[in-house]
Amino acid sequence: MSAPTPSDLAYVPFVSVDHMMQLVHHIGIETMLRGIAEYVEADFHRWELFDKTPRVASHSKEGVIELMPTSDGEVYGFKYVNGHPKNTKEGLQTVTAFGLLADVYTGYPVLLSEMTILTALRTAATSAMVAKHLAPKGARTMAMIGNGAQSEFQALAMKALNGVDHLRLYDIDSNATEKAMRNLQGWGFTLTACATPEEAIQGAQIITTCTADKQCATILSDNMVGAGVHINAIGGDCPGKTELHKDILLRSDVFVEFPPQTRIEGEIQQMPEDFAVTEMWQVINGTAKGRTSDSQITLFDGVGFATEDFSALRYVRDKLHETGLFQQLDMLADPDDPRDLFGMVQRAKS
Ligand code: NAD
């Protein structure tokens, strides 16, 4: 990033929830999911450039609050995100987030954005980008287990990137399934509401688990998973919060984002420290194998990594000037003489 002029730095572009929704409609959600997936994949290609650290988590009995920082050496980014499965019962989101990009040269912020919607978009875009590499060729049917806030985004990304057009939906709360069925009408899917997870996975080549429960749950048990499927397990993303029986992991080839974080938070927290996994960036740049046979079970143990948020924020930033969908936020003190911060405060009195 070249050195910006002081006038560029006085205000920080801010993308509100309202502007993010307008951006989704302006671009079109499927185009936006494909666009974000391209940015996520491009940053996986540049993997070795990034500062990488497991996210910084503050756990409580009810949930978790996390910071997810990274940098490519020119731009720094972080996301603030929570995970509170009990929130929906109180009329609140399980996951809310906001994020920031900053210029490494000056340290000044260059974008502040809502990321509740953007997290749903980037998680779905990442799932679909990974499935493009790992799912059986020609997969058109997906079981969608967990029909909450993330679910429609997951479905649309799998359609936009991979041509999935049959969805089999299941949630322990039938109201959630009804909501997802309603929202996904008219998007080109054949939709089936299922009464059990066993029914949902019938004939599915891709199984997405996207449930929220603060426990080691068994959404899928070993006998439910047939040869050749791709499992997109994204709901288990915290210590003590998993979705799959560990025997499934023993039969699968497991693909992860950043192993030091996934070993803490992912399905593989159930396995020994040296349990073999493949890093997705290596599949993407061709140095590791993805799917190698029709009978192989591929499992994406997706917990969400900081570079994916960075990619999504980069995408949003690149759209700002063509759309104007942002406001300028007065969040940086800008005295004429940089050392006269006190004088600026005094002069404001008048
Ligand atoms: P949500 O609370 O809106 O929806 C979760 C749904 O799971 C609810 O409808 C609930 O009824 C259902 N559910 C709970 N237990 C179930 C079970 N045993 N069987 C079937 N359904 C069950 O949450 P959300 O925002 O959709 O997020 C879902 C999960 O994904 C959360 O755990 C969240 O932390 C995680 N998440 C992961 C990533 C990532 O990058 N991997 C990103 C965002 C969210």
Side-chain angles (χ1 to χ4, degrees):
M1 195 180 285
S2 59
T5 62
S7 60
D8 293 328
L9 297 174
Y11 293 93
V12 178
F14 169 59
V15 180
S16 65
V17 172
D18 189 45
H19 275 141
M20 187 62 75
M21 293 193 291
Q22 288 186 50
L23 188 65
V24 170
H25 290 296
H26 177 84
I27 295 171
I29 189 162
E30 293 187 62
T31 305
M32 188 160 173
L33 285 161
R34 276 192 293 267
I36 294 173
E38 273 170 30
Y39 276 56
V40 171
E41 188 163 19
D43 284 340
F44 270 85
H45 269 292
R46 307 191 297 147
W47 187 255
E48 283 161 299
L49 263 179
F50 282 93
D51 262 357
K52 293 178 286 294
T53 177
R55 57 186 151 199
V56 183
S58 171
H59 296 279
S60 64
K61 196 156 59 59
E62 290 77 22
V64 63
I65 294 177
E66 299 166 325
L67 290 179
M68 303 172 70
T70 191
S71 169
D72 67 358
E74 293 194 357
V75 180
Y76 170 91
F78 78 83
K79 179 169 83 171
Y80 166 101
V81 63
N82 77 308
H84 284 64
K86 60 91 194 157
N87 271 7
T88 46
K89 290 197 184 65
E90 298 167 19
L92 302 170
Q93 295 288 123
T94 295
V95 175
T96 60
F98 68 89
L100 181 136
L101 291 180
D103 177 17
V104 167
Y105 180 74
T106 59
Y108 273 37
V110 293
L111 173 70
L112 178 67
S113 177
E114 89 77 40
M115 285 196 81
T116 304
I117 298 165
L118 194 58
T119 292
L121 291 163
R122 80 80 157 117
T123 305
T126 303
S127 288
M129 184 275 290
V130 167
K132 184 181 78 176
H133 291 276
L134 299 181
K137 287 282 161 280
R140 290 181 58 183
T141 302
M142 177 166 84
M144 182 76 236
I145 302 180
N147 303 152
Q150 310 300 316
S151 61
E152 297 92 341
F153 296 88
Q154 288 284 324
L156 283 168
M158 286 292 180
K159 173 165 172 279
L161 273 85
N162 303 316
V164 166
D165 57 4
H166 285 61
L167 283 183
R168 303 179 63 78
L169 298 123
Y170 170 74
D171 194 293
I172 34 166
D173 179 351
S174 61
N175 291 326
T177 305
E178 273 168 35
K179 177 258 340 177
M181 295 280 287
R182 212 169 38 243
N183 283 341
L184 290 168
Q185 293 289 343
W187 285 95
F189 291 107
T190 302
L191 300 167
T192 309
C194 301
T196 62
E198 287 80 359
E199 187 189 339
I201 62 173
Q202 292 300 316
Q205 297 102 358
I206 301 176
I207 303 173
T208 290
T209 56
C210 187
T211 65
D213 203 352
K214 210 167 163 20
Q215 60 161 332
C216 293
T218 307
I219 307 299
L220 294 181
S221 56
D222 189 32
N223 59 1
M224 289 166 69
V225 177
V229 298
H230 173 64
I231 304 174
N232 173 43
I234 60 153
D237 59 357
C238 234
K241 178 163 167 265
T242 55
E243 296 183 300
L244 308 181
H245 191 283
K246 70 178 199 182
D247 287 353
I248 297 173
L249 307 184
L250 294 169
R251 285 170 60 216
S252 309
D253 287 307
V254 179
F255 298 83
V256 303
E257 293 140 314
F258 181 55
Q261 180 175 310
T262 314
R263 289 193 194 278
I264 298 168
E265 302 179 350
E267 296 302 321
I268 58 169
Q269 67 185 271
Q270 307 177 71
M271 310 309 280
E273 262 304 294
D274 58 353
F275 181 73
V277 294
T278 304
E279 296 186 45
M280 236 7 255
W281 71 275
Q282 292 186 310
V283 176
I284 287 164
N285 75 11
T287 55
K289 288 195 164 55
R291 175 167 288 274
T292 51
S293 83
D294 292 343
S295 60
Q296 182 188 17
I297 300 170
T298 50
L299 164 52
F300 176 47
D301 188 359
V303 292
F305 188 58
T307 57
E308 295 151 24
D309 300 308
F310 181 93
S311 313
L313 287 167
R314 275 204 310 115
Y315 177 89
V316 168
R317 187 170 186 230
D318 286 353
K319 298 292 172 202
L320 288 189
H321 292 293
E322 93 189 42
T323 65
L325 291 170
F326 64 98
Q327 64 202 72
Q328 296 281 32
L329 212 59
D330 179 19
M331 65 178 265
L332 292 172
D334 185 34
D336 294 338
D337 172 354
R339 286 171 299 189
D340 194 18
L341 187 63
F342 186 82
M344 185 185 78
V345 174
Q346 286 302 98
R347 284 189 294 278
K349 201 172 174 186
S350 56

mmCIF file of all heavy atoms in Angstrom, residues 60-87:
data_model
loop_
_atom_site.group_PDB
_atom_site.id
_atom_site.type_symbol
_atom_site.label_atom_id
_atom_site.label_comp_id
_atom_site.label_asym_id
_atom_site.label_seq_id
_atom_site.Cartn_x
_atom_site.Cartn_y
_atom_site.Cartn_z
ATOM 1 N N SER A 60 -16.509 -18.043 28.594
ATOM 2 C CA SER A 60 -17.352 -17.937 29.789
ATOM 3 C C SER A 60 -18.297 -19.132 29.770
ATOM 4 O O SER A 60 -18.310 -19.906 28.809
ATOM 5 C CB SER A 60 -18.153 -16.635 29.755
ATOM 6 O OG SER A 60 -19.036 -16.664 28.655
ATOM 7 N N LYS A 61 -19.107 -19.251 30.817
ATOM 8 C CA LYS A 61 -20.043 -20.376 30.890
ATOM 9 C C LYS A 61 -21.015 -20.322 29.698
ATOM 10 O O LYS A 61 -21.404 -21.336 29.159
ATOM 11 C CB LYS A 61 -20.826 -20.262 32.207
ATOM 12 C CG LYS A 61 -21.556 -21.500 32.648
ATOM 13 C CD LYS A 61 -21.793 -21.508 34.142
ATOM 14 C CE LYS A 61 -22.607 -20.325 34.687
ATOM 15 N NZ LYS A 61 -23.942 -20.100 34.190
ATOM 16 N N GLU A 62 -21.361 -19.121 29.270
ATOM 17 C CA GLU A 62 -22.398 -18.958 28.243
ATOM 18 C C GLU A 62 -21.846 -19.018 26.820
ATOM 19 O O GLU A 62 -22.584 -19.339 25.890
ATOM 20 C CB GLU A 62 -23.112 -17.604 28.396
ATOM 21 C CG GLU A 62 -24.002 -17.501 29.616
ATOM 22 C CD GLU A 62 -23.200 -17.270 30.894
ATOM 23 O OE1 GLU A 62 -22.045 -16.788 30.798
ATOM 24 O OE2 GLU A 62 -23.714 -17.605 31.970
ATOM 25 N N GLY A 63 -20.581 -18.651 26.642
ATOM 26 C CA GLY A 63 -20.085 -18.567 25.266
ATOM 27 C C GLY A 63 -18.629 -18.162 25.201
ATOM 28 O O GLY A 63 -17.862 -18.393 26.134
ATOM 29 N N VAL A 64 -18.292 -17.542 24.068
ATOM 30 C CA VAL A 64 -16.899 -17.145 23.874
ATOM 31 C C VAL A 64 -16.852 -15.815 23.122
ATOM 32 O O VAL A 64 -17.734 -15.528 22.302
ATOM 33 C CB VAL A 64 -16.132 -18.262 23.106
ATOM 34 C CG1 VAL A 64 -16.701 -18.467 21.701
ATOM 35 C CG2 VAL A 64 -14.643 -17.973 23.032
ATOM 36 N N ILE A 65 -15.866 -14.994 23.457
ATOM 37 C CA ILE A 65 -15.589 -13.763 22.707
ATOM 38 C C ILE A 65 -14.156 -13.883 22.195
ATOM 39 O O ILE A 65 -13.249 -14.236 22.959
ATOM 40 C CB ILE A 65 -15.762 -12.520 23.605
ATOM 41 C CG1 ILE A 65 -17.238 -12.378 23.999
ATOM 42 C CG2 ILE A 65 -15.257 -11.267 22.902
ATOM 43 C CD1 ILE A 65 -17.532 -11.230 24.952
ATOM 44 N N GLU A 66 -13.990 -13.603 20.900
ATOM 45 C CA GLU A 66 -12.696 -13.893 20.277
ATOM 46 C C GLU A 66 -12.188 -12.721 19.437
ATOM 47 O O GLU A 66 -12.983 -12.000 18.835
ATOM 48 C CB GLU A 66 -12.840 -15.107 19.346
ATOM 49 C CG GLU A 66 -13.261 -16.351 20.076
ATOM 50 C CD GLU A 66 -13.737 -17.464 19.154
ATOM 51 O OE1 GLU A 66 -14.353 -17.184 18.113
ATOM 52 O OE2 GLU A 66 -13.487 -18.625 19.488
ATOM 53 N N LEU A 67 -10.869 -12.606 19.375
ATOM 54 C CA LEU A 67 -10.221 -11.690 18.439
ATOM 55 C C LEU A 67 -9.424 -12.523 17.442
ATOM 56 O O LEU A 67 -8.743 -13.489 17.836
ATOM 57 C CB LEU A 67 -9.279 -10.738 19.177
ATOM 58 C CG LEU A 67 -9.947 -9.692 20.061
ATOM 59 C CD1 LEU A 67 -8.887 -8.845 20.757
ATOM 60 C CD2 LEU A 67 -10.877 -8.788 19.245
ATOM 61 N N MET A 68 -9.511 -12.152 16.176
ATOM 62 C CA MET A 68 -8.862 -12.936 15.111
ATOM 63 C C MET A 68 -7.986 -12.008 14.270
ATOM 64 O O MET A 68 -8.452 -11.395 13.316
ATOM 65 C CB MET A 68 -9.939 -13.599 14.242
ATOM 66 C CG MET A 68 -10.874 -14.479 15.050
ATOM 67 S SD MET A 68 -12.279 -15.086 14.113
ATOM 68 C CE MET A 68 -11.510 -16.241 12.984
ATOM 69 N N PRO A 69 -6.698 -11.888 14.622
ATOM 70 C CA PRO A 69 -5.813 -10.970 13.897
ATOM 71 C C PRO A 69 -4.963 -11.670 12.827
ATOM 72 O O PRO A 69 -4.625 -12.843 12.961
ATOM 73 C CB PRO A 69 -4.903 -10.457 15.020
ATOM 74 C CG PRO A 69 -4.825 -11.592 15.994
ATOM 75 C CD PRO A 69 -6.061 -12.444 15.832
ATOM 76 N N THR A 70 -4.601 -10.930 11.808
ATOM 77 C CA THR A 70 -3.619 -11.415 10.827
ATOM 78 C C THR A 70 -3.075 -10.220 10.036
ATOM 79 O O THR A 70 -3.622 -9.121 10.112
ATOM 80 C CB THR A 70 -4.225 -12.449 9.864
ATOM 81 O OG1 THR A 70 -3.168 -13.066 9.124
ATOM 82 C CG2 THR A 70 -5.212 -11.841 8.887
ATOM 83 N N SER A 71 -2.000 -10.468 9.288
ATOM 84 C CA SER A 71 -1.452 -9.418 8.421
ATOM 85 C C SER A 71 -0.701 -10.070 7.267
ATOM 86 O O SER A 71 -0.079 -11.126 7.445
ATOM 87 C CB SER A 71 -0.483 -8.541 9.223
ATOM 88 O OG SER A 71 0.241 -7.702 8.346
ATOM 89 N N ASP A 72 -0.769 -9.414 6.085
ATOM 90 C CA ASP A 72 0.033 -9.915 4.956
ATOM 91 C C ASP A 72 1.297 -9.076 4.776
ATOM 92 O O ASP A 72 1.966 -9.159 3.749
ATOM 93 C CB ASP A 72 -0.806 -9.955 3.665
ATOM 94 C CG ASP A 72 -1.187 -8.567 3.159
ATOM 95 O OD1 ASP A 72 -0.847 -7.551 3.808
ATOM 96 O OD2 ASP A 72 -1.838 -8.490 2.094
ATOM 97 N N GLY A 73 1.604 -8.228 5.774
ATOM 98 C CA GLY A 73 2.804 -7.386 5.701
ATOM 99 C C GLY A 73 2.493 -5.988 5.205
ATOM 100 O O GLY A 73 3.216 -5.046 5.491
ATOM 101 N N GLU A 74 1.408 -5.837 4.447
ATOM 102 C CA GLU A 74 1.010 -4.499 3.966
ATOM 103 C C GLU A 74 -0.264 -4.037 4.631
ATOM 104 O O GLU A 74 -0.463 -2.854 4.883
ATOM 105 C CB GLU A 74 0.796 -4.536 2.450
ATOM 106 C CG GLU A 74 2.077 -4.769 1.704
ATOM 107 C CD GLU A 74 1.944 -4.487 0.225
ATOM 108 O OE1 GLU A 74 0.842 -4.163 -0.249
ATOM 109 O OE2 GLU A 74 2.970 -4.616 -0.458
ATOM 110 N N VAL A 75 -1.154 -4.990 4.870
ATOM 111 C CA VAL A 75 -2.442 -4.682 5.496
ATOM 112 C C VAL A 75 -2.589 -5.586 6.711
ATOM 113 O O VAL A 75 -2.227 -6.769 6.663
ATOM 114 C CB VAL A 75 -3.616 -4.923 4.505
ATOM 115 C CG1 VAL A 75 -4.956 -4.599 5.167
ATOM 116 C CG2 VAL A 75 -3.433 -4.100 3.241
ATOM 117 N N TYR A 76 -3.092 -4.991 7.800
ATOM 118 C CA TYR A 76 -3.367 -5.738 9.024
ATOM 119 C C TYR A 76 -4.881 -5.813 9.167
ATOM 120 O O TYR A 76 -5.605 -4.886 8.775
ATOM 121 C CB TYR A 76 -2.756 -4.986 10.217
ATOM 122 C CG TYR A 76 -3.156 -5.522 11.581
ATOM 123 C CD1 TYR A 76 -2.390 -6.495 12.209
ATOM 124 C CD2 TYR A 76 -4.308 -5.046 12.223
ATOM 125 C CE1 TYR A 76 -2.758 -6.986 13.460
ATOM 126 C CE2 TYR A 76 -4.675 -5.541 13.472
ATOM 127 C CZ TYR A 76 -3.900 -6.515 14.075
ATOM 128 O OH TYR A 76 -4.271 -7.005 15.295
ATOM 129 N N GLY A 77 -5.384 -6.927 9.717
ATOM 130 C CA GLY A 77 -6.829 -7.014 9.940
ATOM 131 C C GLY A 77 -7.141 -7.795 11.197
ATOM 132 O O GLY A 77 -6.328 -8.610 11.655
ATOM 133 N N PHE A 78 -8.290 -7.496 11.765
ATOM 134 C CA PHE A 78 -8.783 -8.351 12.846
ATOM 135 C C PHE A 78 -10.300 -8.363 12.850
ATOM 136 O O PHE A 78 -10.946 -7.450 12.320
ATOM 137 C CB PHE A 78 -8.263 -7.918 14.234
ATOM 138 C CG PHE A 78 -8.970 -6.719 14.825
ATOM 139 C CD1 PHE A 78 -10.178 -6.851 15.503
ATOM 140 C CD2 PHE A 78 -8.422 -5.456 14.698
ATOM 141 C CE1 PHE A 78 -10.829 -5.741 16.045
ATOM 142 C CE2 PHE A 78 -9.064 -4.337 15.231
ATOM 143 C CZ PHE A 78 -10.274 -4.493 15.909
ATOM 144 N N LYS A 79 -10.841 -9.428 13.427
ATOM 145 C CA LYS A 79 -12.291 -9.505 13.642
ATOM 146 C C LYS A 79 -12.552 -9.728 15.120
ATOM 147 O O LYS A 79 -11.821 -10.476 15.777
ATOM 148 C CB LYS A 79 -12.885 -10.657 12.824
ATOM 149 C CG LYS A 79 -14.400 -10.815 13.030
ATOM 150 C CD LYS A 79 -15.033 -11.779 12.034
ATOM 151 C CE LYS A 79 -14.894 -13.212 12.439
ATOM 152 N NZ LYS A 79 -15.690 -14.122 11.580
ATOM 153 N N TYR A 80 -13.563 -9.048 15.610
ATOM 154 C CA TYR A 80 -14.135 -9.333 16.936
ATOM 155 C C TYR A 80 -15.360 -10.197 16.668
ATOM 156 O O TYR A 80 -16.209 -9.826 15.843
ATOM 157 C CB TYR A 80 -14.549 -8.023 17.617
ATOM 158 C CG TYR A 80 -15.442 -8.218 18.831
ATOM 159 C CD1 TYR A 80 -14.925 -8.143 20.121
ATOM 160 C CD2 TYR A 80 -16.810 -8.492 18.680
ATOM 161 C CE1 TYR A 80 -15.744 -8.328 21.226
ATOM 162 C CE2 TYR A 80 -17.629 -8.689 19.782
ATOM 163 C CZ TYR A 80 -17.091 -8.607 21.051
ATOM 164 O OH TYR A 80 -17.903 -8.809 22.140
ATOM 165 N N VAL A 81 -15.447 -11.342 17.325
ATOM 166 C CA VAL A 81 -16.616 -12.216 17.097
ATOM 167 C C VAL A 81 -16.980 -12.938 18.391
ATOM 168 O O VAL A 81 -16.103 -13.250 19.202
ATOM 169 C CB VAL A 81 -16.334 -13.230 15.948
ATOM 170 C CG1 VAL A 81 -15.190 -14.174 16.284
ATOM 171 C CG2 VAL A 81 -17.574 -14.024 15.555
ATOM 172 N N ASN A 82 -18.277 -13.181 18.562
ATOM 173 C CA ASN A 82 -18.703 -13.969 19.725
ATOM 174 C C ASN A 82 -19.363 -15.264 19.248
ATOM 175 O O ASN A 82 -19.714 -15.405 18.075
ATOM 176 C CB ASN A 82 -19.690 -13.181 20.597
ATOM 177 C CG ASN A 82 -21.072 -13.165 19.974
ATOM 178 O OD1 ASN A 82 -21.201 -12.806 18.819
ATOM 179 N ND2 ASN A 82 -22.071 -13.562 20.706
ATOM 180 N N GLY A 83 -19.536 -16.198 20.176
ATOM 181 C CA GLY A 83 -20.301 -17.421 19.913
ATOM 182 C C GLY A 83 -21.067 -17.768 21.176
ATOM 183 O O GLY A 83 -20.474 -18.204 22.164
ATOM 184 N N HIS A 84 -22.378 -17.513 21.166
ATOM 185 C CA HIS A 84 -23.219 -17.741 22.350
ATOM 186 C C HIS A 84 -24.462 -18.534 21.939
ATOM 187 O O HIS A 84 -25.518 -17.931 21.645
ATOM 188 C CB HIS A 84 -23.628 -16.395 22.975
ATOM 189 C CG HIS A 84 -22.534 -15.726 23.746
ATOM 190 N ND1 HIS A 84 -21.374 -15.281 23.150
ATOM 191 C CD2 HIS A 84 -22.414 -15.446 25.067
ATOM 192 C CE1 HIS A 84 -20.587 -14.746 24.082
ATOM 193 N NE2 HIS A 84 -21.194 -14.845 25.250
ATOM 194 N N PRO A 85 -24.366 -19.883 21.934
ATOM 195 C CA PRO A 85 -25.498 -20.693 21.478
ATOM 196 C C PRO A 85 -26.803 -20.413 22.227
ATOM 197 O O PRO A 85 -27.882 -20.538 21.653
ATOM 198 C CB PRO A 85 -25.017 -22.129 21.728
ATOM 199 C CG PRO A 85 -23.535 -22.043 21.634
ATOM 200 C CD PRO A 85 -23.179 -20.704 22.213
ATOM 201 N N LYS A 86 -26.724 -19.970 23.475
ATOM 202 C CA LYS A 86 -27.965 -19.718 24.226
ATOM 203 C C LYS A 86 -28.666 -18.432 23.784
ATOM 204 O O LYS A 86 -29.811 -18.181 24.156
ATOM 205 C CB LYS A 86 -27.689 -19.700 25.733
ATOM 206 C CG LYS A 86 -26.698 -18.643 26.232
ATOM 207 C CD LYS A 86 -27.339 -17.328 26.645
ATOM 208 C CE LYS A 86 -26.324 -16.223 26.804
ATOM 209 N NZ LYS A 86 -26.828 -14.887 26.673
ATOM 210 N N ASN A 87 -27.983 -17.597 22.988
ATOM 211 C CA ASN A 87 -28.534 -16.281 22.655
ATOM 212 C C ASN A 87 -29.865 -16.333 21.909
ATOM 213 O O ASN A 87 -30.716 -15.479 22.110
ATOM 214 C CB ASN A 87 -27.530 -15.478 21.805
ATOM 215 C CG ASN A 87 -26.588 -14.660 22.659
ATOM 216 O OD1 ASN A 87 -26.589 -14.783 23.879
ATOM 217 N ND2 ASN A 87 -25.773 -13.836 22.027
#
